[in-house]
Amino acid sequence: MTDRNESSSESSSASLSAALSQQIRTRIEAAGGWLGFDSFMALALYSPGLGYYANERPKFGNMPASGSDFVTAPEISPAFGRLLAAQVAEALERTGTREVWEFGAGTGALAEQLLGALGDQVERYTIVDLSGSLRARQKERLAPFAHKLHWADALPQAIEGVVVGNEVLDAMPVQLLMRKKGEWFERGVVWNDGFGWEDRPTTLRPPLEIDGPQDYLTEIHAQGEAFVRTLGERLVRGAAFLIDYGFGEDEYYHPQRHMGTLVCHRAHRMDDDPLVDLGLKDITAHVNFTGIAVAAQEAGMDLLGYTTQAHFLINCGLLQQLEQMPQGARAMAAKLMMEHEMGELFKVIGLSRGVEPWPALGFVQGDRTHRL
């Protein structure tokens, strides 16, 4: 029976990937034979019913045996949401608001943790998620909080409240730039008995000069920065806390980072080929937090702070919580701050608008704003 189920699952995955590949191939042909990577990535991740985040396959989980591809902090330990809740609670009080907005809520684990910790401080919790299958899982998991929950497909014209987004920016489509022999090209996707790369001359450039004569592949983040700009324009009064893996600009575009940051995740393994197994694996790039901060400030937002996930969670009380946990739970929660796990690579940026900026809890020690 197991073999039959595995065979059926493999056949279903192959059919899904083939259908998505055909759809993208049609788009490439309609575009004249070449599609910028950002457009390709958007189709691979978000094509209705077929894209990675739009299909029914499992994505989030601790182990490959669950059929999942990767794990996020709220699944590693519920302490993550409880600690973030301390910062959200402070922000709700400072901004005089009662609503939380979460982008890309995944399994609903973070929403469950935040709602449980915040209690009556939250009157309304709105989830913005494009995935119908994930939305169904969220509704089931969050049933005890149904009276507070709402879902939205897009941002309204005006927001008052506190926005949270954990691993949202890294899934936004990026453009690929390639410097070859001193000349810059935009890397796109073509079809020639299979998907392949083709570089075309471009006037696009990274946000700073990259030293050295070597060939250099990197990403620029127009869509992620546009998202933050739109968020800033529509946030009438409130704050936002965005958590993701990434760097400041100088580190992001370091001469030694000549292969870029684009990676794929499947079955808790990473690879660097987004042109195969379409719809069956995540495609992601690290975040340029300098670009995010600049976009936010251009939209009228104030920067509350920028630091590592480890510093942020410690500032919010992680060490005190660890002391009260049994050994197994303590080991899992410690992964959130350990340098070789999530503590250093993951960063948190805090933003506000419509209120006087304050010394936010999560950034009282270890703030790295000066490194943006």
Side-chain angles (χ1 to χ4, degrees):
M1 180 66 70
T2 301
D3 290 344
R4 183 180 300 172
N5 288 340
E6 288 179 357
S7 176
S8 175
S9 176
E10 290 173 3
S11 175
S12 175
S13 295
S15 297
L16 182 152
S17 189
L20 180 57
S21 296
Q22 181 57 53
Q23 187 177 108
I24 295 176
R25 180 182 174 184
T26 300
R27 287 288 296 272
I28 290 173
E29 291 170 353
W34 183 92
L35 200 62
F37 182 75
D38 55 334
S39 297
F40 174 89
M41 182 173 171
L43 291 167
L45 295 181
Y46 302 111
S47 289
L50 297 174
Y52 179 77
Y53 282 109
N55 64 47
E56 300 288 337
R57 296 181 68 257
K59 293 149 184 68
F60 307 89
N62 279 303
M63 300 294 290
S66 67
S68 63
D69 298 313
F70 56 88
V71 64
T72 61
E75 277 91 27
I76 290 176
S77 170
F80 180 80
R82 293 198 300 265
L83 294 163
L84 179 58
Q87 177 62 90
V88 173
E90 181 191 66
L92 288 168
E93 183 178 350
R94 288 280 185 160
T95 60
T97 58
R98 304 293 299 276
E99 182 170 8
V100 173
W101 290 74
E102 184 183 357
F103 285 84
T107 62
L110 180 56
E112 183 179 50
Q113 294 156 18
L114 288 174
L115 283 162
L118 292 167
D120 292 340
Q121 282 186 274
V122 177
E123 289 182 353
R124 181 180 172 103
Y125 195 104
T126 300
I127 292 173
V128 183
D129 208 314
L130 301 178
S131 171
S133 60
L134 287 176
R135 186 180 294 195
R137 292 182 64 186
Q138 293 158 11
K139 287 183 176 180
E140 181 178 353
R141 181 170 193 160
L142 300 172
F145 306 101
H147 60 293
K148 296 184 179 182
L149 285 169
H150 301 267
W151 278 263
D153 296 316
L155 279 173
Q157 291 301 310
I159 297 177
E160 293 189 10
V162 177
V163 175
V164 294
N166 182 55
E167 294 197 48
V168 171
L169 295 172
D170 67 78
M172 294 192 177
V174 295
Q175 291 166 286
L176 294 182
L177 298 185
M178 180 71 196
R179 184 177 68 185
K180 294 187 289 189
K181 298 180 179 178
E183 299 293 325
W184 282 103
F185 300 84
E186 182 177 1
R187 176 156 290 184
V189 181
V190 296
W191 174 267
N192 186 14
D193 294 328
F195 294 110
W197 298 114
E198 183 177 297
D199 299 335
R200 293 190 170 184
T202 183
T203 58
L204 294 172
R205 294 290 185 275
L208 48 74
E209 290 289 332
I210 297 166
D211 294 334
Q214 75 276 19
D215 290 353
Y216 195 94
L217 177 66
T218 193
E219 308 90 23
I220 55 174
H221 300 259
Q223 291 197 33
E225 291 164 14
F227 162 76
V228 171
R229 210 171 281 115
T230 301
L231 176 62
E233 290 166 354
R234 300 188 184 184
L235 187 64
V236 178
R237 185 173 82 254
F241 300 94
L242 304 174
I243 306 157
D244 227 311
Y245 40 89
F247 316 100
E249 193 169 83
D250 288 344
E251 191 175 356
Y252 197 102
Y253 296 106
H254 193 281
Q256 293 180 353
R257 201 179 301 284
H258 62 95
M259 295 301 291
T261 72
L262 191 79
V263 292
C264 304
H265 297 270
R266 186 180 184 188
H268 294 261
R269 296 180 180 178
M270 288 195 300
D271 69 79
D272 61 0
D273 190 355
L275 304 186
V276 300
D277 298 331
L278 301 185
L280 307 181
K281 61 183 181 181
D282 191 20
I283 306 171
T284 177
H286 288 45
V287 177
N288 168 18
F289 277 100
T290 302
I292 296 303
V294 170
Q297 290 173 320
E298 288 175 348
M301 301 180 85
D302 293 303
L303 183 61
L304 295 174
Y306 166 70
T307 192
T308 64
Q309 180 173 293
H311 272 117
F312 181 85
L313 295 179
I314 290 169
N315 289 335
C316 290
L318 175 58
L319 299 183
Q320 294 88 327
Q321 286 209 18
L322 288 176
E323 292 176 356
Q324 301 167 13
M325 292 179 184
Q327 185 174 354
R330 188 185 310 144
M332 294 304 288
K335 290 185 176 185
L336 302 173
M337 71 170 184
M338 293 169 68
E339 185 174 349
H340 67 281
E341 294 280 355
M342 303 180 79
E344 177 66 27
L345 179 58
F346 279 72
K347 310 297 194 306
V348 186
I349 191 167
L351 306 161
S352 66
R353 189 166 190 231
V355 295
E356 186 69 24
W358 74 95
L361 172 67
F363 308 100
V364 291
Q365 293 184 346
D367 187 13
R368 296 189 181 182
T369 299
H370 62 284
R371 295 173 61 172
L372 282 173

